[in-house]
Every structure is written in C-alpha cells, then in structure tokens.
Amino acid sequence: MCGIVGYLGNNKAYPILVKGLLRLEYRGYDSAGVALLNEEVNVYKCKGKVSDLEEYVKDFNTEGSVGIAHTRWATHGEPNYQNAHPHYSMDKKTALIHNGIIENYATLKTELIKRGYVFQSNTDTEVLIHLIEDIRKNENVELFEAVRIALTQVEGTYALVVISKEHSDSLIVARKGSPLIIGIGDNEYFIASDGTALVEYTKEVTYLNEEELACISLKDGIKIVSISNIERTPYIEKLEMSLTAIEKGGYEHFMLKEIHEQPKSISDSMRGRLSTKKDVVSLGGIIEYEDKMLNAKRFIILGCGTSWHAGLVGEHMFEDLIRIPVEVEYASEFRYRNPIINEDDIVIAISQSGETADTLAALNLAKEKGATVIGICNVVGSSIARATHAGSYTHAGPEIGVASTKAFTAQVTLLALMALALAKKKGTIPNSRYHEIITALENIPKQVEETLKYDNDIKEIAERFTNAQNFLYLGRGYNFPIALEGALKLKEISYIHAEGYPAAEMKHGPIALIDDEMPVVVIATNKGTYDKVVSNIQEVKARKGKIIAIVTKGDKIVRDMADYTIEIPETEEMFVPILATIPLQLLAYYIAVNRGCNVDQPRNLAKSVTVE
C-alpha cells in the first residue's frame, strides 16, 4: 500500500524514480508525485496513474540527481492534487513523502495552525513536514535532529523520506511499522518500499529496524540512529530477488504468470526441507523451537484475507497430524478482543509481504503476553520475519499481482511441512502413514502442472458466467477454506459478489438465493465427506442452480450431475486444497479479463496492507 522511491547519486534521478514507481504499481495507489532537487525543491504531482504523472511533468524541468517519489493510496483525504505526495514545508525548501498513518495528526495540526502554519491538504502526512519545520525554527537544530525529535511526538506508523534544499547532498529516511529498504550502489543510494523498485540497480541493501532513522549522504554514507538517538552500524545484506522475477515473461498479466509459476513456487517451498528418500521433513527456521511447539497446549494462527484461509487449512492439518488444538484468528480482530494468551501458546503469524499491519500488531500483542511467535512469510527481511521468535520463508518469489495466488499455495505447503515435521517428532502418526503423506506432498508440483493443462477448458467455462451477478462457493472439511478463497479471488478481481460456505450450511440460509441464474461452485473431490457433498449438489440442482464442480480425475457421479466439471489429480485429502484452488484462480482470472477489469491492480485494493 503506497509506494516510496528515493535516489541520491550522480545520475539523473527522474528516470530512476519513475521506473521505481512503475515497479511499485502493484501495491495499489490513486495518485503519484515526485520531488526533484535542482537549485530548488521542485514538486510535481497529480491524481491518477504514474503515466498521468509522466504526462503532467513532460514540460517541466526534471533535472537533478537527488529526488523522491511516491504513489499514494488514500486514507486521510480523497485522491486529488492537494493530497498527493510529496508535501512541501511552508518555506518550500523541504519536501516529504510518507507511508502509514499519523494517529494523533488532528491534535498536532490544531497546534500547528495556532502557530501560523497553513495546510494545503487534508492528509495526516502534511502535519509531519510542518512539525519538522517548526522544530527546526524553534529549537535551532539541524534537519536530521528535527526529524528525530518530530518522530518522538507522533503516534502511528510511518516510512518516510525527506529532501531539503539546505542539505542537497543527503536524504533522510525513517520507519516504524511500514517497510523501507536502502539500496547501496556505486557512490549512489536508492530508497524503496520494497526490493522490486531497486533490484535492477543493486543487490546490496540495508533494512531499517522499527523506530530508526538514517541520514544518507554521498560524503558520509549511511548514519543510522534510533528515535531515542542511539547509533547503530548498518548491516549490509544481499537482496534475494531477480529482475526476471518481477517481469511478466510473456504473460498478459502478472496474475496469470504467477498462477502458472505454482509448480515451481511449491517446489521451491519444499526444496531442502523434504526428502522422501531419507523420510525427513525439516524446517531449519523452527528447529530451535520444535520442543516448545510440541509441548504447546494450543496453536493460534493469525492472518488476514488469503493468509487467513491458508491458516484454516493449516488448522485441519495440525489437528489431524499433531493432535494439538488450533484456533485461527483474523489478526485485525484478535488484537482488539483482549484475547486470552498463555505462555505455553504457540502463535503462528502468516503474511505474504511480512508487513501486514494488523498481523504485525497482533503478533506483538501475543509476544507481550509471553507466547512464542512463529512467522510464515514470503519476503526476506520483512517486519514480521524480524519480529517473530522464529519462522520459515515460503520462497514463492515476488508476487506482483494484488490477488494472491502462488503465495497462498506456498503458505499451505509450508504449513503442511511444519505439521509433518512436528507430527514425526511427536510420534502422532505411524511411520508408514508419514511416508505416504510426504510422498504425496512431493508429487504435488507435478499434479499442479497437470491441473494447469485445463486452462483452456476453464477459460470456456468463464465465458459462460462473465455476466453473472452472484456466485456461491461450497466445500466441506479441508475444502471449506478453498470455497472461501475461491469466492475471495472472484470478488477481488472481477467485482462480482461471491460467498463461500460450508456446503452443509447452505440449507441454513443461502439455499434461498439459488435459482436458475445462480452459479454454484462446489469442491466435490472424492475424499472426506464426498457423499454428503453429492447430496448438497442434488439440493442445488433441484432448485435449478448451475453447478461448476471441482472433481477428482475419473469421477462419474458428480460429472453426471454437474453442468460443468474441472478435474484435479487424486491426492491425499489434506493436499486437495492446493490442487483445487488452481482452477478457482483461473476461473476468477478469466471472468475478470472478460469483464475488462484491471486484474493486477483491482480497484480499492493494495498488495500489502501496511495501515489499519
């Protein structure tokens, strides 16, 4: 959500900044802007896309080798020119860009207005730049110190970059609860919300920790201090990302590319962790905490959106294999409920980006109450990865499409690996059964590949339902979370109303909605409660609903009943969710494309929800 790019060096900043913004478009935004230092601080911004910004500035001076740029996703104040970033100080010598939310902005704004500051926008962000200017004037301090003092007075979250005419050889950056990366080149520096904006320029990066700020200059390098003014030596890391991973590679959309990448992303999630020859599943990131996990009285899984759905699948796996109770919680609700958390609880926080604000806040609450927190995320060096006691990366690779696809199946895969590793150590499943399960898991990437061959068949089904107004998705047991996930994918990218239900709950209300216009997607594979699901399909057919069924290859009973069927290979019941979600991703994708929707950047959504 929102994107930040900064550049300090000897090259022309503007092309680097614009390319960086384009790389960050997937994060979601509604306005864009840039500030360039060229004798003066020149700010150019507008409502709309980065392409609109490029059109707007084409007649202006874009010279300068220092600059900052921003894409804004509106929180405080509607999308327009005034509310777009960057924001000027009153004297227009300094400008600032900011991701996050300043919660006490109203109090600060009232006081600043009393002191004569005039606000040009309705944003919480503009308070920051005026507060910094006010501190510089009244306390007679340098800009870096003014920024530090200002941040001791604000409540909320931020990733920010400050540029100033009076400090033309430096950038000032800070973060709390919102990601920020500093890229280190050859006598040049790059700032970005994530690695996609700087991967083509450098692989050397350093991450700011919570409540840290840095002054970056060509003369003195990177100086990092905490908000309380304790200095820290920068730790340089290797950026684990390739340029090809963030390009479309011939696909029409990133989402389609990422759907088809799943055989590889699932394999990558298992690589080095699963060996059928040795009968071993091992996750290096949690080995130190395995005994504590096995002695837990309860697991609590936290997530939002698609990650919450992955957690629901994980709940079944953990309880089936490890025989320890599991609760799956919306992170956004968990932190406000005064939850009962014990020191022998294990909390598992799931997030693709590792920056989800609600999940980060929820896991911090769990840590404060003494629970052991394990992280599952995709982005190396992310906030959640650093805040948890231990954890594992999914290794799905960059996911650019806003609607999560390969990250979801990688999360489910990692939860399966975790459950199997713990069950083996605890002895809750026989060795023969353990071997059967890990063999089935090892085969999943090939079976996903096989499922993807039905792409054209699913495309044809999508054409028949492009103009539908509503969808129902039904599943039972392991497949109920996939019904939820399938419905979410359709809602996210096609804007069709869709709901996922446990199939047995249909007759407790939703059956009233079924008529000959209602498409009903049923995950009806031959495991678990298959006979019960067949009965649910009959109930829908009796009311003339249109059935799209996900079935196990070779199924005849449901095929004869359904209007449309999509086959997936036979596998263990606990791995059906991985295979069954593939057709649902493709169905949502093709319906959205047919409706002319922006698949990779659906309206009102952001890839990484870094504010509440």
Side-chain angles (χ1 to χ4, degrees):
M1 169 174 307
C2 300
I4 279 178
V5 186
Y7 178 76
L8 170 68
N10 297 306
N11 292 309
K12 189 174 179 180
Y14 178 72
I16 295 170
L17 297 173
V18 168
K19 185 176 280 190
L21 291 184
L22 291 169
R23 295 283 192 210
L24 295 176
E25 281 194 304
Y26 76 97
R27 294 173 66 90
Y29 71 104
D30 41 50
S31 59
V34 61
L36 297 163
L37 188 55
N38 179 23
E39 295 183 357
E40 303 293 331
V41 176
N42 298 308
V43 170
Y44 311 118
K45 56 186 182 177
C46 66
K47 177 183 175 181
K49 297 293 185 182
V50 176
S51 57
D52 297 313
L53 176 66
E54 289 182 279
E55 181 66 23
Y56 175 71
V57 304
K58 67 181 183 181
D59 295 325
F60 290 103
N61 182 355
T62 58
E63 294 301 315
S65 57
V66 184
I68 57 177
H70 189 268
T71 49
R72 176 179 184 256
W73 192 86
T75 53
H76 294 72
E78 65 181 89
N80 58 26
Y81 170 83
Q82 288 81 8
N83 293 330
H85 297 212
H87 289 289
Y88 268 130
S89 58
M90 282 274 286
D91 60 13
K92 293 197 172 183
K93 293 180 180 179
T94 309
L96 174 146
I97 53 178
H98 164 237
N99 289 353
I101 291 179
I102 305 304
E103 294 172 359
N104 62 334
Y105 83 98
T107 303
L108 294 170
K109 185 174 183 177
T110 300
E111 183 60 32
L112 287 164
I113 289 171
K114 287 179 184 176
R115 297 182 191 181
Y117 289 89
V118 178
F119 284 77
Q120 305 298 323
S121 76
N122 303 117
T123 68
D124 56 325
T125 294
E126 195 181 358
V127 167
L128 274 172
I129 191 65
H130 293 322
L131 179 60
I132 291 166
E133 184 177 10
D134 188 65
I135 291 169
R136 287 188 72 189
K137 287 178 180 177
N138 293 325
E139 301 195 23
N140 193 28
V141 294
E142 288 294 316
L143 179 62
F144 185 62
E145 179 64 3
V147 174
R148 188 190 69 78
I149 295 170
L151 294 179
T152 66
Q153 299 179 22
V154 302
E155 298 168 9
T157 59
Y158 50 79
L160 59 88
V161 190
V162 180
I163 188 173
S164 175
K165 175 184 175 181
E166 295 175 356
H167 297 270
S168 59
D169 63 342
S170 64
L171 294 174
I172 295 170
V173 300
R175 78 169 291 266
K176 177 188 175 185
S178 197
L180 201 68
I181 303 174
I182 302 169
I184 304 160
D186 183 11
N187 201 34
E188 60 184 350
Y189 294 92
F190 307 86
I191 314 298
S193 302
D194 66 52
T196 57
L198 49 77
V199 64
E200 66 184 280
Y201 304 109
T202 182
K203 289 291 186 104
E204 303 293 318
V205 299
T206 188
Y207 298 90
L208 288 184
N209 294 320
E210 284 288 278
E211 297 191 329
E212 287 186 342
L213 67 160
C215 182
I216 306 165
S217 74
L218 295 179
K219 179 182 177 183
D220 299 320
I222 303 171
K223 175 189 175 183
I224 299 177
V225 301
S226 66
I227 300 303
S228 55
N229 209 21
I230 299 170
E231 193 162 348
R232 177 177 74 86
T233 302
Y235 175 66
I236 310 302
E237 300 182 45
K238 207 79 169 172
L239 182 63
E240 300 294 335
M241 186 183 294
S242 68
L243 188 58
T244 55
I246 60 170
E247 294 177 337
K248 290 181 184 175
Y251 287 92
E252 186 177 354
H253 297 96
F254 281 110
M255 182 178 178
L256 186 60
K257 178 196 176 196
E258 288 156 8
I259 291 172
H260 281 270
E261 283 178 339
Q262 286 174 106
K264 182 179 185 301
S265 58
I266 293 169
S267 289
D268 289 346
S269 295
M270 292 191 283
R271 182 170 290 116
R273 295 166 168 171
L274 183 152
S275 171
T276 52
K277 290 180 180 178
K278 296 179 181 179
D279 250 9
V280 169
V281 174
S282 178
L283 293 170
I286 65 166
I287 284 177
E288 186 183 344
Y289 287 86
E290 277 187 350
D291 289 340
K292 198 162 189 177
M293 295 174 79
L294 291 172
N295 291 316
K297 295 289 190 295
R298 174 180 62 160
F299 287 95
I300 301 170
I301 299 178
L302 302 173
C304 297
T306 287
S307 295
W308 184 73
H309 297 157
L312 292 174
V313 179
E315 177 183 23
H316 283 275
M317 291 174 171
F318 277 53
E319 292 191 343
D320 277 356
L321 297 175
I322 316 170
R323 307 306 296 154
I324 295 176
V326 180
E327 296 176 15
V328 184
E329 300 273 3
Y330 281 115
S332 55
E333 291 294 319
F334 181 77
R335 60 184 293 212
Y336 294 111
R337 205 187 64 232
N338 191 21
I340 299 169
I341 304 171
N342 302 307
E343 290 185 1
D344 53 7
D345 287 335
I346 299 292
V347 173
I348 300 174
I350 308 175
S351 166
Q352 187 282 136
S353 66
E355 302 292 349
T356 310
D358 289 315
T359 306
L360 189 58
L363 76 84
N364 283 328
L365 172 64
K367 279 178 70 178
E368 288 169 12
K369 292 182 177 287
T372 299
V373 182
I374 306 297
I376 293 177
C377 56
N378 191 37
V379 180
V380 175
S382 58
S383 296
I384 287 174
R386 287 180 284 163
T388 49
H389 291 105
S392 296
Y393 291 113
T394 54
H395 299 308
E399 188 177 66
I400 307 301
V402 166
S404 184
T405 53
K406 65 176 181 175
F408 172 72
T409 51
Q411 287 168 351
V412 173
T413 301
L414 196 54
L415 286 164
L417 291 169
M418 195 175 287
L420 285 161
L422 295 171
K424 173 72 168 176
K425 191 164 185 178
K426 193 174 185 183
T428 44
I429 54 173
N431 288 336
S432 59
R433 180 70 183 127
Y434 173 81
H435 183 74
E436 288 174 1
I437 296 172
I438 66 171
T439 300
L441 182 55
E442 188 178 52
N443 287 332
I444 287 294
K446 290 179 183 176
Q447 292 182 317
V448 169
E449 220 168 86
E450 187 179 335
T451 304
L452 287 167
K453 292 176 182 177
Y454 291 99
D455 185 295
N456 286 330
D457 295 336
I458 297 166
K459 189 175 184 180
E460 289 178 11
I461 294 171
E463 288 175 2
R464 300 173 187 271
F465 294 99
T466 294
N467 296 316
Q469 299 300 306
N470 299 281
F471 265 77
L472 279 179
Y473 287 72
L474 304 177
R476 298 187 78 155
Y478 275 99
N479 293 328
F480 166 52
I482 302 311
L484 294 172
E485 176 63 12
L488 178 62
K489 284 290 142 312
L490 190 70
K491 282 185 279 196
E492 283 180 311
I493 62 172
S494 75
Y495 319 138
I496 295 173
H497 174 254
E499 296 296 336
Y501 280 92
E505 287 296 303
M506 181 181 60
K507 53 184 169 288
H508 294 285
I511 199 167
L513 297 171
I514 295 173
D515 57 22
D516 59 2
E517 297 294 320
M518 174 68 80
V520 181
V521 180
V522 186
I523 300 107
T525 51
N526 65 0
K527 303 292 186 194
T529 54
Y530 176 73
D531 292 339
K532 300 292 186 184
V533 173
V534 169
S535 296
N536 296 138
I537 291 172
Q538 289 172 329
E539 290 169 341
V540 173
K541 289 303 294 180
R543 289 154 182 85
K544 303 187 185 306
K546 303 297 182 188
I547 295 288
I548 304 168
I550 311 298
V551 300
T552 305
K553 192 170 184 177
D555 181 284
K556 292 182 180 178
I557 296 173
V558 174
R559 179 178 288 279
D560 290 342
M561 298 168 57
D563 297 278
Y564 308 94
T565 56
I566 305 164
E567 290 186 337
I568 63 172
E570 176 102 28
T571 188
E572 289 285 341
E573 184 181 7
M574 67 183 65
F575 304 138
V576 168
I578 299 175
L579 299 181
T581 198
I582 307 297
L584 303 187
Q585 293 170 353
L586 287 168
L587 182 67
Y589 170 79
Y590 283 118
I591 288 175
V593 169
N594 293 343
R595 290 167 69 90
C597 300
N598 188 338
V599 173
D600 286 335
Q601 298 169 39
R603 69 188 183 201
N604 304 331
L605 294 180
K607 181 64 179 172
S608 178
V609 183
T610 57
V611 296
E612 288 188 66

